[in-house]
Amino acid sequence: MDLYGSKVLVTGGAGLIGSHIVDELVKEGALVTVYDNFIRGQRDHLEWACANGVVKIVEGDICDTGSLQESMQGVDYVFHQAAMWLRLCEAEPRRAIEVNIIGTFNVLESCVEAGVKKIVAASSSSVYGDGSYFPTDEGHPFNNDLFYGATKVADEQLMRSFYKKYGLAFVCLRYLNVYGPRQPFQAAYMDVIMHFLNRIDTGEPPVIHGDGSQTVDLVFVEDVARANLMALKSEITNDFFNVAGGAETTLKELAQMLLDLKGRKDLQPAYETRDTKLVSRRFGCPQKAKDLLGFEVSIPPREGLERVIEWREHAVTDQVKPSVI
Ligand SMILES: NC(=O)c1ccc[n+]([C@@H]2O[C@H](COP(=O)([O-])OP(=O)(O)OC[C@H]3O[C@@H](n4cnc5c(N)ncnc54)[C@H](O)[C@@H]3O)[C@@H](O)[C@H]2O)c1
């Protein structure tokens, strides 16, 4: 499939993953609409894309059906990334349902109305909840018990329903732990990598909640963007895939790796007991995506983290240096 000249809409296109999808689309000569309410996305994530391609930015909410329908007119393909993040879903469950489930329904409905040919949508390994076996493959049961994961399970079911009733072609990607340049580093939004780096940058040891044996399955954001385009271009529809690094990194290893990359071997991670109620182990099986989409990660964690550190040095100085960790 040649995307040159195709009209492609990316919901959440100013966010971490969405903006990297936009970059990939620009490289292919697609005409891109970014649909984002900027609750977390940033215009400067789109600087390169706007300077190098045809990118229209719509400041709109997926809960606003009128604006969504208007923006969807004439669109060939959609990448759906807009969603409320995990911690906000836990803090505000009703809003999580409104944005992540009803918002997704709105996106799918407007795709059907506009005659969109295919949608690739973001799901999450959260649907698996606590894994009962590892690496977790796509046949693993939905053990989720968090609101965020509940919205992703519901979204997956909506996609199947839209496919059955209206023939809306879709591929749904269950991302593992995505990281990379453009990750938020401010207190309210941060993930563990940014927490660790903020501490290291102020000369303090990274703080690990628990004993450090919890694991993440790191997948670099540019690989995730590539997986999205491969899913769009493949003949496959009505299916679900992990987008996984396929390797476990413990939080202790992650903290050590960051200390090493920052040249701060003098610091040692500190440990705090805290019940986070979050999943303690992530290790996704990448085999199905490899076999059916031809997707494999290309950037190992150490290289990806080096790139995060490099990007962060400019991003943090361009904005406010973090004071609250
Ligand atoms: N980052 C990860 O590790 C990860 C893991 C699993 C799944 N996901 C999923 O991938 C998708 C993208 O995640 P991300 O990490 O890029 O997050 P992000 O927060 O950086 O991007 C989401 C974007 O959606 C926008 N948005 C939020 N609510 C909106 C609304 N109501 N209307 C329009 N725009 C809205 C935000 O402003 C933001 O730009 C999400 O669906 C997320 O649940 C992410």
Side-chain angles (χ1 to χ4, degrees):
M1 182 198 287
D2 184 1
L3 289 175
Y4 187 85
S6 296
K7 292 189 175 164
V8 185
L9 183 141
V10 185
T11 74
L16 170 64
I17 299 166
S19 65
H20 283 91
I21 294 174
V22 171
D23 288 352
E24 290 300 312
L25 290 169
V26 163
K27 287 179 203 160
E28 303 235 351
L31 312 176
V32 186
T33 300
V34 169
Y35 191 90
D36 200 301
N37 69 354
F38 292 90
I39 185 176
R40 188 147 111 140
Q42 290 185 31
R43 282 177 194 271
D44 58 11
H45 292 168
L46 299 165
E47 243 169 47
W48 182 87
C50 289
N52 290 280
V54 182
V55 180
K56 179 178 160 195
I57 300 175
V58 178
E59 188 162 346
D61 200 295
I62 56 171
C63 297
D64 179 348
T65 49
S67 157
L68 200 50
Q69 280 161 5
E70 199 185 316
S71 305
M72 205 64 89
Q73 276 171 23
V75 165
D76 298 302
Y77 305 107
V78 170
F79 291 93
H80 177 39
Q81 305 298 311
M84 270 169 57
W85 57 101
L86 190 147
R87 285 177 196 280
L88 189 55
C89 290
E90 296 315 296
E92 297 186 43
R94 176 172 292 278
R95 194 167 148 213
I97 305 304
E98 285 162 3
V99 174
N100 288 12
I101 302 182
I102 300 177
T104 295
F105 180 90
N106 295 338
V107 171
L108 297 171
E109 189 181 51
S110 45
C111 283
V112 170
E113 281 168 9
V116 166
K117 295 172 200 150
K118 189 170 182 180
I119 178 168
V120 178
S123 185
S124 165
S125 56
S126 290
V127 299
Y128 303 128
D130 277 313
S132 47
Y133 61 84
F134 296 94
T136 313
D137 61 21
E138 290 81 351
H140 188 285
F142 290 158
N143 280 347
N144 163 70
D145 57 5
L146 298 173
F147 286 105
Y148 172 76
T151 68
K152 292 296 184 187
V153 172
D155 287 351
E156 292 196 357
Q157 294 297 311
L158 285 175
M159 273 170 244
R160 284 172 60 85
S161 309
F162 270 81
Y163 176 73
K164 182 156 186 198
K165 189 167 169 79
Y166 304 106
L168 177 62
F170 79 88
V171 171
C172 199
L173 299 179
R174 296 174 181 158
Y175 308 147
L176 275 288
N177 303 99
V178 186
Y179 73 104
R182 303 179 192 159
Q183 255 183 283
F185 49 79
Q186 272 119 0
Y189 299 148
M190 277 184 301
D191 87 333
V192 65
I193 294 172
M194 291 300 157
H195 267 292
F196 287 173
L197 286 173
N198 282 353
R199 296 273 301 182
I200 295 168
D201 280 353
T202 49
E204 293 168 294
V207 176
I208 295 174
H209 296 144
D211 64 3
S213 64
Q214 311 96 296
T215 64
V216 285
D217 181 334
L218 295 169
V219 52
F220 193 65
V221 67
E222 286 176 12
D223 279 331
V224 178
R226 215 164 39 80
N228 271 273
L229 266 74
M230 290 172 98
L232 181 74
K233 290 178 176 185
S234 87
E235 294 294 313
I236 289 169
T237 184
N238 190 19
D239 212 346
F240 302 85
F241 296 89
N242 287 339
V243 176
E248 285 183 285
T249 303
T250 67
L251 293 191
K252 187 175 173 189
E253 286 165 347
L254 180 61
Q256 292 289 5
M257 212 180 330
L258 291 170
L259 286 166
D260 192 19
L261 290 169
K262 294 288 288 184
R264 291 305 304 256
K265 283 187 176 161
D266 54 314
L267 294 174
Q268 284 301 316
Y271 295 87
E272 270 182 13
T273 29
R274 194 184 288 182
D275 178 15
T276 63
K277 297 200 179 98
L278 297 179
V279 169
S280 59
R281 199 172 167 200
R282 281 281 175 238
F283 178 18
C285 178
Q287 200 59 41
K288 184 177 170 189
K290 183 176 174 190
D291 292 346
L292 299 185
L293 300 177
F295 170 74
E296 274 184 285
V297 291
S298 65
I299 299 174
R302 197 175 169 90
E303 183 186 334
L305 291 171
E306 261 175 9
R307 290 183 52 187
V308 169
I309 289 170
E310 200 182 285
W311 161 80
R312 214 182 103 96
E313 275 164 14
H314 302 288
V316 173
T317 40
D318 285 352
Q319 297 191 23
V320 190
K321 274 258 181 204
S323 53
V324 185
I325 311 296

